[in-house]
C-alpha cells in the first residue's frame, strides 16, 4: 500500500490526498511535522519537504505537482478516474490553474 507523508496544514499535501481519494487509490496517511527531529521526511526526500509518496518497495516521489503527474501516468483511465482533460488545451489550462493556485499558497 502507498504511504503519504503529509503535514496537516499543507495545501500541497491536501491536493495529493484529494487526488488519491478521487482515483480511489488506497493509501496510508502519515502526518508529520517536518522540522521535528523524529520526521522521516529526509529519508525519502532530499529536499526535506512534504508531501512525499512512498511505495511498498521504499522508493518515493515528492513535490506535489510531480506526485500528481506520477499518479496520472501510473493510474490511468479507464481503471482510475482521470484528473485532467483528454485534450491538450484542457490539460495545459489545468496545469496553468495549478501553477496559479500554488503561487497563491506560496504567498500566504
Amino acid at each position: 500500500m502507498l504511504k503519504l507523508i503529509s503535514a496537516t496544514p499543507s495545501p500541497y499535501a491536501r491536493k495529493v490526498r484529494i487526488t488519491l481519494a478521487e482515483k480511489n487509490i488506497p493509501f496510508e496517511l502519515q502526518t508529520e511535522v517536518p522540522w521535528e527531529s523524529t520526521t522521516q521526511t529526509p529519508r525519502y526526500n532530499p529536499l526535506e519537504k512534504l508531501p512525499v509518496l512512498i511505495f511498498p518497495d521504499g522508493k518515493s516521489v515528492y513535490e506535489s505537482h510531480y506526485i500528481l503527474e506520477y499518479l496520472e501516468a501510473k493510474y490511468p483511465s479507464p481503471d482510475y478516474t482521470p484528473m485532467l482533460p483528454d485534450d491538450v488545451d484542457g490539460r495545459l489550462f489545468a496545469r496553468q490553474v495549478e501553477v496559479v493556485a500554488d503561487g497563491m499558497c506560496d504567498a500566504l
Side-chain angles (χ1 to χ4, degrees):
M1 178 182 293
L2 300 176
K3 180 189 292 187
L4 179 65
I5 301 179
S6 170
T8 302
S10 170
Y12 308 105
R14 190 172 305 121
K15 69 181 179 178
V16 174
R17 289 196 316 266
I18 290 167
T19 298
L20 288 164
E22 288 293 324
K23 284 186 160 293
N24 217 10
I25 301 170
F27 70 100
E28 174 189 340
L29 181 62
Q30 179 177 322
T31 302
E32 291 198 358
V33 178
W35 53 85
E36 287 188 355
S37 62
T38 58
T39 184
Q40 295 293 307
T41 305
R43 182 174 170 194
Y44 298 104
N45 181 352
L47 301 174
E48 298 187 20
K49 294 168 53 178
L50 296 174
V52 177
L53 187 64
I54 304 168
F55 304 101
D57 65 2
K59 293 180 181 175
S60 62
V61 291
Y62 35 85
E63 289 294 322
S64 61
H65 65 276
Y66 180 69
I67 295 171
L68 297 183
E69 188 174 335
Y70 184 94
L71 292 172
E72 196 69 9
K74 291 291 193 173
Y75 297 88
S77 64
D79 296 328
Y80 298 91
T81 304
M83 298 287 100
L84 295 170
D86 287 333
D87 66 288
V88 172
D89 289 333
R91 292 175 78 85
L92 291 171
F93 179 71
R95 294 295 188 204
Q96 184 179 29
V97 169
E98 181 182 14
V99 167
V100 171
D102 285 352
M104 291 168 57
C105 289
D106 287 344
L108 297 177

